[in-house]
Amino acid sequence: MIFVIRPPVSGNGRDTMTVDANDETRDQQLPLPPRPVLPDMAAARSRGPADVVEAHWQSLRLSWQWRHAVHKIRSPGRPYPGIVPLLDAAAAQPRLRRLYPLTSHFALLFSSSTSYPWSVQAGSIEPLYNGRFKVRRRSPYAVIGEVETAEEAVALVLELLPTGPEAVITASADDHV
């Protein structure tokens, strides 16, 4: 017995395996947004730790906004953790804006050092896929709350910051500033 495999044919007699450029039913690859232009971190390092902090805030926000836009194109309807509104809410707080922001697995942390080894202050905020935010204390490591909004999460982290003088932003020994 011999089997012949033929491509499926649509009701209009056209081969459905080939795609005509004018065919309205063909799958279209949506273009991705252009990658953002990120701040020049080398130039920021040459100006000092405060400029490094500011440049990194801008870089993180632009990068995560781009990743979110790409996710909406590639995976429409699938949830994406609220890292973008979290970064916006944290950047609006002067006490956090002075610290070096870092992300790991969508969690947002704040360091008083601009390079490794990090000197993490307060705790971390993790945006969840259900739209909520989990806040963890740094030491002792523990979940201190799960809240509805990025602003509420930022308020909890602000309460965890040490009282007294503001943390001094430091550069590593390799950062000749």
mmCIF file of all heavy atoms in Angstrom, residues 96 108 110 121-126 128 132-162:
data_model
loop_
_atom_site.group_PDB
_atom_site.id
_atom_site.type_symbol
_atom_site.label_atom_id
_atom_site.label_comp_id
_atom_site.label_asym_id
_atom_site.label_seq_id
_atom_site.Cartn_x
_atom_site.Cartn_y
_atom_site.Cartn_z
ATOM 1 N N LEU A 96 14.712 56.161 48.032
ATOM 2 C CA LEU A 96 15.095 54.998 47.232
ATOM 3 C C LEU A 96 15.883 55.420 46.000
ATOM 4 O O LEU A 96 16.777 54.706 45.556
ATOM 5 C CB LEU A 96 13.867 54.189 46.825
ATOM 6 C CG LEU A 96 13.117 53.496 47.959
ATOM 7 C CD1 LEU A 96 11.890 52.773 47.437
ATOM 8 C CD2 LEU A 96 14.037 52.542 48.713
ATOM 9 N N LEU A 108 13.080 43.602 42.847
ATOM 10 C CA LEU A 108 13.790 44.874 42.896
ATOM 11 C C LEU A 108 14.445 45.018 44.261
ATOM 12 O O LEU A 108 13.801 44.852 45.296
ATOM 13 C CB LEU A 108 12.819 46.031 42.649
ATOM 14 C CG LEU A 108 13.370 47.452 42.726
ATOM 15 C CD1 LEU A 108 14.471 47.679 41.684
ATOM 16 C CD2 LEU A 108 12.239 48.453 42.534
ATOM 17 N N PHE A 110 17.759 47.337 46.488
ATOM 18 C CA PHE A 110 18.393 48.656 46.554
ATOM 19 C C PHE A 110 19.713 48.529 47.302
ATOM 20 O O PHE A 110 19.742 48.032 48.417
ATOM 21 C CB PHE A 110 17.480 49.650 47.271
ATOM 22 C CG PHE A 110 16.077 49.643 46.727
ATOM 23 C CD1 PHE A 110 15.100 48.841 47.304
ATOM 24 C CD2 PHE A 110 15.740 50.417 45.633
ATOM 25 C CE1 PHE A 110 13.815 48.817 46.792
ATOM 26 C CE2 PHE A 110 14.460 50.404 45.110
ATOM 27 C CZ PHE A 110 13.492 49.596 45.695
ATOM 28 N N GLN A 121 20.171 47.442 51.003
ATOM 29 C CA GLN A 121 19.493 48.165 52.075
ATOM 30 C C GLN A 121 18.032 47.703 52.116
ATOM 31 O O GLN A 121 17.445 47.401 51.087
ATOM 32 C CB GLN A 121 19.534 49.668 51.812
ATOM 33 C CG GLN A 121 20.922 50.221 51.634
ATOM 34 C CD GLN A 121 21.727 50.139 52.918
ATOM 35 O OE1 GLN A 121 21.291 50.570 53.969
ATOM 36 N NE2 GLN A 121 22.910 49.558 52.825
ATOM 37 N N ALA A 122 17.442 47.690 53.280
ATOM 38 C CA ALA A 122 16.021 47.384 53.478
ATOM 39 C C ALA A 122 15.712 45.962 53.050
ATOM 40 O O ALA A 122 16.150 45.018 53.663
ATOM 41 C CB ALA A 122 15.138 48.402 52.772
ATOM 42 N N GLY A 123 14.959 45.825 51.983
ATOM 43 C CA GLY A 123 14.524 44.515 51.547
ATOM 44 C C GLY A 123 14.357 44.478 50.054
ATOM 45 O O GLY A 123 14.990 45.231 49.318
ATOM 46 N N SER A 124 13.478 43.599 49.612
ATOM 47 C CA SER A 124 13.236 43.466 48.184
ATOM 48 C C SER A 124 11.737 43.448 47.921
ATOM 49 O O SER A 124 10.941 43.134 48.806
ATOM 50 C CB SER A 124 13.876 42.188 47.647
ATOM 51 O OG SER A 124 13.267 41.047 48.232
ATOM 52 N N ILE A 125 11.393 43.769 46.684
ATOM 53 C CA ILE A 125 10.000 43.747 46.255
ATOM 54 C C ILE A 125 9.916 42.852 45.029
ATOM 55 O O ILE A 125 10.657 43.038 44.068
ATOM 56 C CB ILE A 125 9.475 45.153 45.889
ATOM 57 C CG1 ILE A 125 9.707 46.132 47.032
ATOM 58 C CG2 ILE A 125 8.000 45.083 45.505
ATOM 59 C CD1 ILE A 125 9.424 47.583 46.650
ATOM 60 N N GLU A 126 9.017 41.897 45.081
ATOM 61 C CA GLU A 126 8.830 40.968 43.974
ATOM 62 C C GLU A 126 7.441 41.153 43.375
ATOM 63 O O GLU A 126 6.444 40.915 44.048
ATOM 64 C CB GLU A 126 8.974 39.532 44.484
ATOM 65 C CG GLU A 126 8.757 38.488 43.437
ATOM 66 C CD GLU A 126 8.780 37.086 44.025
ATOM 67 O OE1 GLU A 126 9.063 36.912 45.223
ATOM 68 O OE2 GLU A 126 8.484 36.155 43.276
ATOM 69 N N LEU A 128 4.353 39.940 41.430
ATOM 70 C CA LEU A 128 3.812 38.611 41.187
ATOM 71 C C LEU A 128 2.960 38.591 39.921
ATOM 72 O O LEU A 128 2.469 39.624 39.474
ATOM 73 C CB LEU A 128 2.980 38.170 42.399
ATOM 74 C CG LEU A 128 3.728 38.210 43.743
ATOM 75 C CD1 LEU A 128 2.772 37.926 44.894
ATOM 76 C CD2 LEU A 128 4.904 37.243 43.739
ATOM 77 N N ARG A 132 -0.125 41.342 42.244
ATOM 78 C CA ARG A 132 0.231 41.794 43.589
ATOM 79 C C ARG A 132 1.753 41.910 43.722
ATOM 80 O O ARG A 132 2.488 41.573 42.796
ATOM 81 C CB ARG A 132 -0.341 40.820 44.620
ATOM 82 C CG ARG A 132 -1.868 40.812 44.591
ATOM 83 C CD ARG A 132 -2.448 39.745 45.523
ATOM 84 N NE ARG A 132 -2.063 39.914 46.905
ATOM 85 C CZ ARG A 132 -2.676 40.698 47.791
ATOM 86 N NH1 ARG A 132 -3.734 41.384 47.421
ATOM 87 N NH2 ARG A 132 -2.260 40.781 49.035
ATOM 88 N N PHE A 133 2.210 42.357 44.901
ATOM 89 C CA PHE A 133 3.634 42.548 45.158
ATOM 90 C C PHE A 133 3.981 41.947 46.510
ATOM 91 O O PHE A 133 3.277 42.173 47.490
ATOM 92 C CB PHE A 133 3.987 44.037 45.150
ATOM 93 C CG PHE A 133 3.741 44.682 43.821
ATOM 94 C CD1 PHE A 133 2.489 45.146 43.483
ATOM 95 C CD2 PHE A 133 4.766 44.790 42.896
ATOM 96 C CE1 PHE A 133 2.244 45.725 42.246
ATOM 97 C CE2 PHE A 133 4.539 45.371 41.655
ATOM 98 C CZ PHE A 133 3.274 45.835 41.330
ATOM 99 N N LYS A 134 5.071 41.182 46.547
ATOM 100 C CA LYS A 134 5.536 40.579 47.798
ATOM 101 C C LYS A 134 6.768 41.339 48.265
ATOM 102 O O LYS A 134 7.701 41.560 47.496
ATOM 103 C CB LYS A 134 5.886 39.110 47.566
ATOM 104 C CG LYS A 134 6.223 38.350 48.831
ATOM 105 C CD LYS A 134 6.550 36.906 48.531
ATOM 106 C CE LYS A 134 5.294 36.182 48.107
ATOM 107 N NZ LYS A 134 5.519 34.747 47.909
ATOM 108 N N VAL A 135 6.754 41.738 49.534
ATOM 109 C CA VAL A 135 7.869 42.490 50.110
ATOM 110 C C VAL A 135 8.568 41.585 51.121
ATOM 111 O O VAL A 135 7.927 40.969 51.970
ATOM 112 C CB VAL A 135 7.375 43.784 50.794
ATOM 113 C CG1 VAL A 135 8.533 44.554 51.405
ATOM 114 C CG2 VAL A 135 6.613 44.647 49.794
ATOM 115 N N ARG A 136 9.903 41.528 50.987
ATOM 116 C CA ARG A 136 10.714 40.700 51.894
ATOM 117 C C ARG A 136 11.707 41.575 52.644
ATOM 118 O O ARG A 136 12.273 42.493 52.090
ATOM 119 C CB ARG A 136 11.493 39.650 51.106
ATOM 120 C CG ARG A 136 10.624 38.669 50.371
ATOM 121 C CD ARG A 136 11.494 37.696 49.578
ATOM 122 N NE ARG A 136 10.753 36.977 48.586
ATOM 123 C CZ ARG A 136 10.149 35.824 48.781
ATOM 124 N NH1 ARG A 136 10.198 35.246 49.966
ATOM 125 N NH2 ARG A 136 9.489 35.232 47.804
ATOM 126 N N ARG A 137 11.895 41.237 53.899
ATOM 127 C CA ARG A 137 12.918 41.881 54.736
ATOM 128 C C ARG A 137 14.257 41.263 54.353
ATOM 129 O O ARG A 137 14.329 40.097 53.987
ATOM 130 C CB ARG A 137 12.601 41.597 56.201
ATOM 131 C CG ARG A 137 13.596 42.126 57.181
ATOM 132 C CD ARG A 137 13.300 41.674 58.611
ATOM 133 N NE ARG A 137 11.901 41.700 58.971
ATOM 134 C CZ ARG A 137 11.231 42.775 59.398
ATOM 135 N NH1 ARG A 137 11.870 43.922 59.500
ATOM 136 N NH2 ARG A 137 9.978 42.708 59.714
ATOM 137 N N ARG A 138 15.312 42.030 54.453
ATOM 138 C CA ARG A 138 16.646 41.538 54.092
ATOM 139 C C ARG A 138 17.256 40.702 55.214
ATOM 140 O O ARG A 138 17.789 39.638 54.992
ATOM 141 C CB ARG A 138 17.548 42.730 53.753
ATOM 142 C CG ARG A 138 18.908 42.344 53.296
ATOM 143 C CD ARG A 138 18.836 41.698 51.938
ATOM 144 N NE ARG A 138 20.178 41.357 51.490
ATOM 145 C CZ ARG A 138 20.419 40.481 50.580
ATOM 146 N NH1 ARG A 138 19.434 39.845 49.999
ATOM 147 N NH2 ARG A 138 21.641 40.229 50.220
ATOM 148 N N SER A 139 17.198 41.223 56.435
ATOM 149 C CA SER A 139 17.789 40.503 57.548
ATOM 150 C C SER A 139 16.962 40.756 58.803
ATOM 151 O O SER A 139 16.829 41.910 59.208
ATOM 152 C CB SER A 139 19.234 40.973 57.758
ATOM 153 O OG SER A 139 19.820 40.278 58.814
ATOM 154 N N PRO A 140 16.372 39.780 59.412
ATOM 155 C CA PRO A 140 16.350 38.398 58.958
ATOM 156 C C PRO A 140 15.416 38.265 57.741
ATOM 157 O O PRO A 140 14.369 38.915 57.682
ATOM 158 C CB PRO A 140 15.808 37.628 60.160
ATOM 159 C CG PRO A 140 14.969 38.612 60.884
ATOM 160 C CD PRO A 140 15.603 39.959 60.642
ATOM 161 N N TYR A 141 15.814 37.407 56.813
ATOM 162 C CA TYR A 141 15.086 37.225 55.567
ATOM 163 C C TYR A 141 13.695 36.662 55.861
ATOM 164 O O TYR A 141 13.569 35.579 56.420
ATOM 165 C CB TYR A 141 15.874 36.275 54.663
ATOM 166 C CG TYR A 141 15.297 36.119 53.296
ATOM 167 C CD1 TYR A 141 15.397 37.137 52.359
ATOM 168 C CD2 TYR A 141 14.660 34.953 52.924
ATOM 169 C CE1 TYR A 141 14.886 37.008 51.083
ATOM 170 C CE2 TYR A 141 14.145 34.799 51.648
ATOM 171 C CZ TYR A 141 14.263 35.831 50.735
ATOM 172 O OH TYR A 141 13.749 35.699 49.482
ATOM 173 N N ALA A 142 12.681 37.426 55.530
ATOM 174 C CA ALA A 142 11.312 36.978 55.764
ATOM 175 C C ALA A 142 10.346 37.811 54.936
ATOM 176 O O ALA A 142 10.612 38.984 54.658
ATOM 177 C CB ALA A 142 10.957 37.113 57.248
ATOM 178 N N VAL A 143 9.231 37.202 54.564
ATOM 179 C CA VAL A 143 8.173 37.943 53.876
ATOM 180 C C VAL A 143 7.473 38.799 54.916
ATOM 181 O O VAL A 143 7.050 38.293 55.963
ATOM 182 C CB VAL A 143 7.171 36.983 53.196
ATOM 183 C CG1 VAL A 143 5.990 37.751 52.622
ATOM 184 C CG2 VAL A 143 7.848 36.160 52.114
ATOM 185 N N ILE A 144 7.370 40.096 54.656
ATOM 186 C CA ILE A 144 6.677 40.961 55.620
ATOM 187 C C ILE A 144 5.299 41.378 55.127
ATOM 188 O O ILE A 144 4.525 41.922 55.881
ATOM 189 C CB ILE A 144 7.507 42.207 55.982
ATOM 190 C CG1 ILE A 144 7.731 43.088 54.770
ATOM 191 C CG2 ILE A 144 8.801 41.822 56.643
ATOM 192 C CD1 ILE A 144 8.124 44.488 55.135
ATOM 193 N N GLY A 145 5.026 41.114 53.852
ATOM 194 C CA GLY A 145 3.699 41.445 53.367
ATOM 195 C C GLY A 145 3.538 41.203 51.888
ATOM 196 O O GLY A 145 4.500 41.133 51.139
ATOM 197 N N GLU A 146 2.276 41.063 51.509
ATOM 198 C CA GLU A 146 1.894 40.982 50.100
ATOM 199 C C GLU A 146 0.799 42.023 49.916
ATOM 200 O O GLU A 146 -0.191 42.014 50.648
ATOM 201 C CB GLU A 146 1.387 39.584 49.754
ATOM 202 C CG GLU A 146 1.180 39.387 48.275
ATOM 203 C CD GLU A 146 0.817 37.954 47.922
ATOM 204 O OE1 GLU A 146 1.540 37.026 48.337
ATOM 205 O OE2 GLU A 146 -0.197 37.789 47.214
ATOM 206 N N VAL A 147 1.008 42.933 48.978
ATOM 207 C CA VAL A 147 0.106 44.069 48.827
ATOM 208 C C VAL A 147 -0.399 44.158 47.384
ATOM 209 O O VAL A 147 0.119 43.515 46.482
ATOM 210 C CB VAL A 147 0.810 45.388 49.238
ATOM 211 C CG1 VAL A 147 1.126 45.389 50.733
ATOM 212 C CG2 VAL A 147 2.065 45.621 48.428
ATOM 213 N N GLU A 148 -1.415 45.012 47.210
ATOM 214 C CA GLU A 148 -2.080 45.148 45.909
ATOM 215 C C GLU A 148 -1.325 46.004 44.905
ATOM 216 O O GLU A 148 -1.356 45.725 43.714
ATOM 217 C CB GLU A 148 -3.474 45.759 46.103
ATOM 218 C CG GLU A 148 -4.459 44.877 46.838
ATOM 219 C CD GLU A 148 -4.919 43.691 46.009
ATOM 220 O OE1 GLU A 148 -4.995 43.805 44.770
ATOM 221 O OE2 GLU A 148 -5.174 42.639 46.613
ATOM 222 N N THR A 149 -0.680 47.076 45.371
ATOM 223 C CA THR A 149 -0.103 48.040 44.431
ATOM 224 C C THR A 149 1.404 48.209 44.634
ATOM 225 O O THR A 149 1.937 47.940 45.720
ATOM 226 C CB THR A 149 -0.753 49.428 44.583
ATOM 227 O OG1 THR A 149 -0.383 49.979 45.854
ATOM 228 C CG2 THR A 149 -2.280 49.351 44.452
ATOM 229 N N ALA A 150 2.046 48.689 43.585
ATOM 230 C CA ALA A 150 3.475 48.984 43.662
ATOM 231 C C ALA A 150 3.745 50.058 44.712
ATOM 232 O O ALA A 150 4.737 49.985 45.445
ATOM 233 C CB ALA A 150 3.981 49.428 42.291
ATOM 234 N N GLU A 151 2.871 51.048 44.789
ATOM 235 C CA GLU A 151 3.047 52.128 45.769
ATOM 236 C C GLU A 151 3.010 51.593 47.201
ATOM 237 O O GLU A 151 3.799 52.030 48.049
ATOM 238 C CB GLU A 151 1.994 53.212 45.571
ATOM 239 C CG GLU A 151 2.144 54.011 44.295
ATOM 240 C CD GLU A 151 1.672 53.279 43.027
ATOM 241 O OE1 GLU A 151 0.987 52.239 43.137
ATOM 242 O OE2 GLU A 151 2.005 53.741 41.925
ATOM 243 N N GLU A 152 2.110 50.656 47.484
ATOM 244 C CA GLU A 152 2.043 50.053 48.825
ATOM 245 C C GLU A 152 3.321 49.262 49.117
ATOM 246 O O GLU A 152 3.837 49.305 50.242
ATOM 247 C CB GLU A 152 0.833 49.125 48.936
ATOM 248 C CG GLU A 152 -0.505 49.828 48.944
ATOM 249 C CD GLU A 152 -1.656 48.835 48.872
ATOM 250 O OE1 GLU A 152 -1.689 48.011 47.931
ATOM 251 O OE2 GLU A 152 -2.514 48.881 49.785
ATOM 252 N N ALA A 153 3.826 48.557 48.130
ATOM 253 C CA ALA A 153 5.053 47.776 48.305
ATOM 254 C C ALA A 153 6.234 48.697 48.587
ATOM 255 O O ALA A 153 7.045 48.435 49.479
ATOM 256 C CB ALA A 153 5.313 46.921 47.065
ATOM 257 N N VAL A 154 6.322 49.786 47.850
ATOM 258 C CA VAL A 154 7.402 50.756 48.055
ATOM 259 C C VAL A 154 7.303 51.357 49.449
ATOM 260 O O VAL A 154 8.322 51.529 50.137
ATOM 261 C CB VAL A 154 7.381 51.836 46.950
ATOM 262 C CG1 VAL A 154 8.259 53.022 47.309
ATOM 263 C CG2 VAL A 154 7.799 51.226 45.613
ATOM 264 N N ALA A 155 6.095 51.644 49.914
ATOM 265 C CA ALA A 155 5.919 52.193 51.263
ATOM 266 C C ALA A 155 6.436 51.213 52.321
ATOM 267 O O ALA A 155 7.075 51.630 53.296
ATOM 268 C CB ALA A 155 4.449 52.532 51.514
ATOM 269 N N LEU A 156 6.197 49.918 52.130
ATOM 270 C CA LEU A 156 6.707 48.925 53.084
ATOM 271 C C LEU A 156 8.231 48.883 53.077
ATOM 272 O O LEU A 156 8.862 48.783 54.130
ATOM 273 C CB LEU A 156 6.153 47.530 52.758
ATOM 274 C CG LEU A 156 4.704 47.265 53.142
ATOM 275 C CD1 LEU A 156 4.272 45.884 52.678
ATOM 276 C CD2 LEU A 156 4.512 47.390 54.653
ATOM 277 N N VAL A 157 8.839 48.957 51.920
ATOM 278 C CA VAL A 157 10.301 48.946 51.842
ATOM 279 C C VAL A 157 10.887 50.204 52.478
ATOM 280 O O VAL A 157 11.915 50.143 53.155
ATOM 281 C CB VAL A 157 10.779 48.774 50.381
ATOM 282 C CG1 VAL A 157 12.233 49.146 50.214
ATOM 283 C CG2 VAL A 157 10.566 47.344 49.934
ATOM 284 N N LEU A 158 10.217 51.329 52.273
ATOM 285 C CA LEU A 158 10.699 52.563 52.911
ATOM 286 C C LEU A 158 10.729 52.429 54.426
ATOM 287 O O LEU A 158 11.629 52.956 55.087
ATOM 288 C CB LEU A 158 9.834 53.753 52.489
ATOM 289 C CG LEU A 158 10.075 54.281 51.077
ATOM 290 C CD1 LEU A 158 8.982 55.266 50.673
ATOM 291 C CD2 LEU A 158 11.455 54.916 50.967
ATOM 292 N N GLU A 159 9.756 51.728 54.987
ATOM 293 C CA GLU A 159 9.731 51.505 56.440
ATOM 294 C C GLU A 159 10.897 50.635 56.896
ATOM 295 O O GLU A 159 11.311 50.700 58.049
ATOM 296 C CB GLU A 159 8.411 50.845 56.857
ATOM 297 C CG GLU A 159 7.207 51.752 56.730
ATOM 298 C CD GLU A 159 5.899 51.033 57.036
ATOM 299 O OE1 GLU A 159 5.934 49.910 57.600
ATOM 300 O OE2 GLU A 159 4.841 51.597 56.713
ATOM 301 N N LEU A 160 11.436 49.805 55.989
ATOM 302 C CA LEU A 160 12.557 48.922 56.332
ATOM 303 C C LEU A 160 13.916 49.598 56.239
ATOM 304 O O LEU A 160 14.901 49.074 56.744
ATOM 305 C CB LEU A 160 12.554 47.695 55.408
ATOM 306 C CG LEU A 160 11.371 46.753 55.516
ATOM 307 C CD1 LEU A 160 11.449 45.685 54.439
ATOM 308 C CD2 LEU A 160 11.309 46.124 56.903
ATOM 309 N N LEU A 161 13.968 50.757 55.567
ATOM 310 C CA LEU A 161 15.243 51.462 55.462
ATOM 311 C C LEU A 161 15.719 51.878 56.843
ATOM 312 O O LEU A 161 14.922 52.267 57.692
ATOM 313 C CB LEU A 161 15.111 52.702 54.574
ATOM 314 C CG LEU A 161 15.128 52.471 53.078
ATOM 315 C CD1 LEU A 161 14.867 53.774 52.343
ATOM 316 C CD2 LEU A 161 16.427 51.856 52.629
ATOM 317 N N PRO A 162 17.029 51.814 57.067
ATOM 318 C CA PRO A 162 17.558 52.228 58.368
ATOM 319 C C PRO A 162 17.214 53.689 58.657
ATOM 320 O O PRO A 162 17.178 54.519 57.752
ATOM 321 C CB PRO A 162 19.066 52.058 58.214
ATOM 322 C CG PRO A 162 19.267 51.233 56.997
ATOM 323 C CD PRO A 162 18.056 51.379 56.145
#
